[in-house]
Amino acid sequence: ITVSKSPLRCPFDIQVCVLAGGDTAFVQIVGSHTNVVRIEKNGEVLLSKPFSEEAAQPPESRRSLTVEDIIAFADEVDLDDVRTPIARQIEYNTAIAEAGLTGQYGAAIGKILLDSYGDSVQAAAGSDARMNGCEKPVVINSGSGNQGMTASLPVIVYARELKASEEQLYRALVVSNLVTIHLKTGIGSLSAYCGATSAGAGAGAGICYLYGGRYDEIAH
């Protein structure tokens, strides 16, 4: 394996060239995790997408978010407008967490915590599964599966414990997901800072919302 520095000025440029036998393949992504700009196989160009280094660094639209506006939105949003992604997040992320608790994945942190502290460990179990080969899908947050699970699973567990209604759970997950995104404002999409910390704070905000907390409590 040979690693070298990108010649581009944009902060995110990954070019990977692999060789096996007489075959070669090359893929390049620029600017964001899913922005594939070039694919080659055995010297044949399969995809070539023009890009500029400046366009690869779009302004962060999340700067319009505030904690106050997030809570007002969660209180008032028509649940039909958010039902599809939130329902999918609940279904998928719960399923992979359960897989992490029942399967043999990685260091089995979720199982260890379950044995030690009880049953509020789904996020750890989901991460065990996701990071160690489980093929179940995960609904992400801020481009990250671990953040998607951290922002959702603790809120789901608390909602069950509190016997919250479906509406309360959905609105709390709106808070958690949006607070997680809001906290990325000063960090950017790529950083040495672990985004799961933002997601943990988002989950805390969502749980606080379930308990009846609003702006004053959540902002603190």
Side-chain angles (χ1 to χ4, degrees), residues 2-204:
T2 303
V3 180
S4 59
K5 184 178 178 180
S6 165
L8 300 185
R9 291 180 291 115
C10 60
F12 189 55
D13 170 43
I14 297 179
Q15 303 177 33
V16 178
C17 182
V18 294
L19 304 90
D23 296 315
T24 63
F26 173 85
V27 176
Q28 181 182 13
I29 55 178
V30 174
S32 66
H33 300 77
T34 57
N35 187 37
V36 179
V37 297
R38 191 170 184 87
I39 301 175
E40 299 178 12
K41 182 177 180 181
N42 293 330
E44 179 185 358
V45 178
L46 304 180
L47 172 71
S48 181
K49 177 180 171 182
F51 72 93
S52 69
E53 295 180 45
E54 289 73 25
Q57 303 177 63
E60 297 287 356
S61 62
R62 65 171 63 94
R63 292 188 183 278
S64 62
L65 291 175
T66 67
V67 173
E68 190 170 14
D69 289 342
I70 289 169
I71 295 165
F73 176 75
D75 284 341
E76 299 168 7
V77 64
D78 183 341
L79 289 186
D80 287 339
D81 292 339
V82 297
R83 191 177 305 280
T84 298
I86 296 294
R88 187 181 297 121
Q89 186 179 50
I90 294 169
E91 178 188 357
Y92 287 7
N93 294 4
T94 300
I96 196 169
E98 290 171 351
L101 289 173
T102 57
Q104 297 297 323
Y105 291 104
I109 301 301
K111 287 184 177 181
I112 293 169
L113 291 173
L114 178 65
D115 291 340
S116 302
Y117 298 110
D119 61 0
S120 296
V121 295
Q122 276 83 343
S127 184
D128 283 333
R130 176 182 171 272
M131 301 295 282
N132 289 279
C134 180
E135 295 184 358
K136 290 183 178 294
V138 170
V139 172
I140 67 174
N141 184 301
S142 302
S144 162
N146 283 344
Q147 289 181 64
M149 289 187 291
T150 302
S152 59
L153 289 166
V155 181
I156 295 167
V157 170
Y158 268 87
R160 289 174 178 169
E161 291 294 319
L162 294 171
K163 296 180 171 53
S165 67
E166 180 182 79
E167 177 178 349
Q168 289 172 315
L169 172 58
Y170 275 53
R171 295 190 187 279
L173 285 171
V174 167
V175 170
S176 179
N177 280 292
L178 290 180
V179 168
T180 299
I181 294 169
H182 170 56
L183 290 175
K184 305 283 285 190
T185 301
I187 304 163
S189 57
L190 292 159
S191 170
Y193 175 89
C194 178
T197 307
S198 298

